[in-house]
Amino acid sequence: MDDLSEVDFVIEAVPEFPDLKTSIFSQLASVCPPHAVLATNTSSISITKIAAATTEDPKDLSASSRVISTHFMNPVPVQKGVEIIPGLQTSQETIDRATEFCQRMGKVPSRSADSPGFLANRILMPYINEAIICLETGVGAKEDIDNIMKNGTNVPMGPLQLADFIGIDTCQAIMKVLHTETGDSKYRPAGLLGKMVDAGWLGKKSGKGFYDY
C-alpha cells in the first residue's frame, strides 16, 4: 500500500465485499497524495458509502470528494464501456479527471447515478440470473440458453458463459446487493448460484463454472 504514495490515479478492484472496500479506501485516503483520484471498480456497492470511509468527519471532503467509480466492463481488454459513477461527495473535478482518464485509454465512458447496480448491472444481472433460473428449472440446456441469446440478439457470448467470465461468486454478490438495497424480490439470487459458489465452481478463474476451462 505504501507504494501508492506518489500515484495520481488509483483503481481498486478487489472482490465485492463492502467491508473490504471501505477498509481499503480508509487506507488509501492516508497513503495516497492529496491530489490523487481514488477510483473503485465496484459493480454494485454504493460510491457514497465507500467515500464516507475515507474520513471520520463527514464535513471533511478532502479525500471523499476524490472518490469515484470507474466500472470497467468485462472482459476489460475487449470491451470499451466504462461506467463513471460519482458519489454524493464526489467533486466535478474528479468526475472530469476520471472521464478524461478513461477516454485516453480508448474507453467509452457512460455516466450513472449512485444507485444499486448502477446502469450496467441493474440491467445485466437480472438477465444472467434469469438464464440461471431457466437452467436450474429445466427450461433449457446451457448450450441452448447461450446459443439462442448469441444467435438471436447478436451478443458475443451467452449469459451463462458471461457469468463464468465475470465470476459466479461476483454474480451472486451483485444480486445480493441488488436484492438487499432495493428490497425487490425480482433480484433474488438464483439458488443454483449459491450452490455453485459453495462447490467452488466460480467460473473461468477456478477452471469450472457452467463450462469447464
Side-chain angles (χ1 to χ4, degrees), residues 109-180:
S110 295
R111 176 86 171 266
S112 172
D114 186 14
S115 180
F118 316 128
L119 280 175
N121 282 328
R122 191 71 167 263
I123 299 167
L124 176 64
M125 282 301 154
Y127 157 71
I128 290 176
N129 196 58
E130 192 62 33
I132 296 169
I133 291 172
C134 285
L135 177 65
E136 69 179 339
T137 56
V139 176
K142 62 185 179 183
E143 295 85 0
D144 293 316
I145 292 169
D146 278 353
N147 283 337
I148 192 60
M149 298 313 297
K150 284 192 294 184
N151 298 306
T153 64
N154 200 32
V155 292
M157 63 177 69
L160 302 179
Q161 183 185 13
L162 180 56
D164 277 351
F165 274 74
I166 293 171
I168 303 303
D169 52 339
T170 300
C171 291
Q172 183 194 40
I174 295 169
M175 288 304 299
K176 283 183 174 180
V177 169
L178 286 171
H179 190 215
T180 301

Side-chain angles (χ1 to χ4, degrees), residues 9-47:
F9 203 112
V10 59
I11 302 175
E12 161 276 313
V14 301
E16 292 290 281
F17 301 117
D19 290 345
L20 177 58
K21 289 187 183 285
T22 54
S23 173
I24 287 172
F25 273 81
S26 176
Q27 297 175 66
L28 290 175
S30 61
V31 172
C32 296
H35 68 275
V37 171
L38 309 178
T40 173
N41 190 50
T42 184
S43 51
S44 60
I45 299 169
S46 167
I47 313 307

Side-chain angles (χ1 to χ4, degrees), residues 16-93:
E16 292 290 281
F17 301 117
D19 290 345
L20 177 58
K21 289 187 183 285
T22 54
S23 173
I24 287 172
F25 273 81
S26 176
Q27 297 175 66
L28 290 175
S30 61
V31 172
C32 296
H35 68 275
V37 171
L38 309 178
T40 173
N41 190 50
T42 184
S43 51
S44 60
I45 299 169
S46 167
I47 313 307
T48 299
K49 182 176 182 179
I50 293 173
T54 62
T55 179
E56 294 182 357
D57 180 2
K59 299 189 298 296
D60 178 12
L61 302 178
S62 59
S64 61
S65 64
R66 294 181 283 118
V67 175
I68 194 166
S69 177
T70 51
H71 177 214
F72 291 81
M73 300 296 106
N74 192 63
V76 177
V78 176
Q79 301 288 15
K80 289 189 174 183
V82 179
E83 281 184 301
I84 303 293
I85 307 117
L88 187 62
Q89 309 94 323
T90 308
S91 68
Q92 186 61 49
E93 179 185 0

